Amino acid sequence: MKQDIHPDYHMITVRLTDGSSFETRSTWGKSGDELRLEVDPLSHPAWTGGAQKLIEAGQLSRFRKRFGDFKAGSSS
């Protein structure tokens, strides 16, 4: 195995937006550094299910808007 090709893993502290923290191994920073997150599972809409907007601009929506009242008549 080649020497000195792997990154240096060390312990850092990760601080979440609510002030809680945990320690983990990382290649980021130096040993003992604190990584403060601006976006994390406690605050990001992808994890919290934040405000969702339905956009009615798709092809099906445009079709229904244009031909919504169209009724096919019988051929008899």
Side-chain angles (χ1 to χ4, degrees), residues 3 6 8 10 12-14 16-17 20 22 25 28 31 34 43 50 52 54-55 57 59 67 72 74 76:
Q3 296 295 319
H6 298 288
D8 175 41
H10 46 268
I12 65 165
T13 302
V14 178
L16 303 177
T17 55
S20 63
F22 63 92
R25 290 174 44 121
W28 180 86
S31 182
E34 182 177 272
S43 65
Q52 297 176 353
L54 295 176
I55 300 175
Q59 289 182 340
F67 300 108
S74 61
S76 50

Side-chain angles (χ1 to χ4, degrees), residues 26-40:
S26 176
T27 59
W28 180 86
K30 298 177 293 206
S31 182
D33 281 354
E34 182 177 272
L35 175 63
R36 292 180 180 262
L37 298 180
E38 294 177 11
V39 177
D40 62 26

